[in-house]
Amino acid sequence: MNISELTPSQARELIRKGEWTKPTSGMANGYIQTNLAVLPKELAFEFLLFCQRNPKACPIIDVIEEGSAVAALAAPDSNVKMDIPKYRVYRDGQFTEERSDVTDIWTDDMVGFLIGCSFTFEEALLKNGIPIRHIEEGCNVPMYKTSIACTKAGRFEGPTVVSMRPMTEQQAIRAVQVTSRFPSVHGAPVHIGDPSKIGIQNLNHPDFGDAVTVKEGEVPVFWACGVTPQAVAMQVKPSLMITHSPGHMLITDVKNDEFSIL
């Protein structure tokens, strides 16, 4: 099975049946993948405001209305309670469990947010000859909490999380050009080079995902990441928050090109 050639519906069905439980990078190429954050309605406006004030880390693709589990604009035949390989559950700011289905804990007063994912622009990077190390090594993208503070909104505040892809300096220049075409899914990098400048002490110990090889002559390139809401949840401590597990995304019916600037 070539997962890159699956349609979004086929990919979601595979996930819903429990036949795909791994990260979704490289699945259904050409279609936008999104992060997920689900909160009680009483926190929904503040979280939407947080995303609006932090569009680099939290670009909103769709909002799932209270009482629904369907991404009406992004994937009309979806069931977001089941269509992600792995979910994370946070209670009072603490990560309590990881599961493949959240049907029994998703209450009718919850609102879901689909947030743009950097997996979207990886296809464009590959087409431009830029390697994606976590795809090469068959693992999850490395993600790190940084010293870059998000803009506060209501009760929501915390550090920006970034994803990292190593490449040569020449490739990094091209990567800036390529990913700048995708402002709705994190856009250009937020930092290139010395990780300590943004508060990352050790690339071999990511806060989320897996460490990857950084070869001689390569520099780490960092993009704002949609896992940021999880880092924020740890500080805000909502009574219940459901998210995707890092690297395990919702695959939408929206084509990458619809969110690119040509």
Side-chain angles (χ1 to χ4, degrees):
M1 177 177 59
N2 186 344
I3 62 168
S4 67
E5 296 179 356
L6 294 172
T7 67
S9 290
Q10 288 172 334
R12 291 194 298 270
E13 183 178 5
L14 202 65
I15 292 165
R16 193 179 301 179
K17 289 180 177 178
E19 296 175 8
W20 185 269
T21 58
K22 295 183 288 187
T24 53
S25 178
M27 292 189 84
N29 277 350
Y31 293 88
I32 283 178
Q33 300 193 21
T34 67
N35 304 272
L36 174 71
V38 185
L39 289 158
K41 183 183 178 182
E42 63 175 345
L43 291 172
F45 173 75
E46 287 180 34
F47 184 76
L48 184 62
L49 185 60
F50 175 82
C51 293
Q52 189 270 332
R53 290 180 178 174
N54 296 278
K56 194 83 170 170
C58 305
I60 294 288
I61 302 298
D62 200 355
V63 178
I64 300 166
E65 296 185 41
E66 177 187 10
S68 174
V70 177
L73 299 180
D77 68 345
S78 64
N79 180 344
V80 183
K81 301 175 184 178
M82 305 168 64
D83 288 352
I84 290 175
K86 290 181 183 176
Y87 300 82
R88 283 192 166 190
V89 180
Y90 293 85
R91 292 183 173 89
D92 298 317
Q94 298 296 315
F95 169 47
T96 57
E97 61 179 314
E98 191 170 66
R99 43 159 71 201
S100 59
D101 186 318
V102 292
T103 302
D104 60 323
I105 59 170
W106 185 310
T107 59
D108 286 342
D109 69 335
M110 301 196 87
V111 177
F113 298 86
L114 301 185
I115 297 168
C117 170
S118 58
F119 286 175
T120 296
F121 58 61
E122 288 183 345
E123 181 186 21
L125 290 175
L126 290 169
K127 285 181 178 178
N128 280 269
I130 298 168
I132 307 295
R133 189 62 38 78
H134 60 272
I135 294 180
E136 292 176 349
E137 297 186 350
C139 62
N140 203 350
V141 63
M143 293 159 273
Y144 308 85
K145 295 179 188 176
T146 71
S147 56
I148 305 170
C150 294
T151 301
K152 189 174 188 288
R155 286 163 278 186
F156 288 93
E157 60 182 321
T160 298
V161 174
V162 294
S163 60
M164 187 278 289
R165 294 160 185 80
M167 58 192 70
T168 67
E169 292 178 350
Q170 186 174 9
Q171 289 168 339
I173 293 170
R174 184 60 179 154
V176 172
Q177 296 171 327
V178 170
T179 57
S180 293
R181 293 177 49 224
F182 296 90
S184 296
V185 284
H186 304 307
V190 295
H191 184 68
I192 298 173
D194 186 354
S196 67
K197 299 289 187 183
I198 55 172
I200 300 170
Q201 301 307 316
N202 191 338
L203 289 180
N204 291 321
H205 292 91
D207 295 292
F208 308 93
D210 303 309
V212 297
T213 306
V214 181
K215 299 177 182 178
E216 187 174 350
E218 291 183 331
V219 294
V221 183
F222 301 92
W223 280 266
C225 178
V227 173
T228 297
Q230 297 188 32
V232 168
M234 294 175 193
Q235 297 201 187
V236 178
K237 297 179 173 55
S239 58
L240 177 64
M241 182 176 188
I242 301 169
T243 73
H244 67 293
S245 185
H248 301 73
M249 307 298 175
L250 178 74
I251 298 171
T252 76
D253 296 341
V254 182
K255 291 186 175 180
N256 291 345
D257 290 344
E258 294 181 44
F259 278 79
S260 68
I261 299 173
L262 301 177

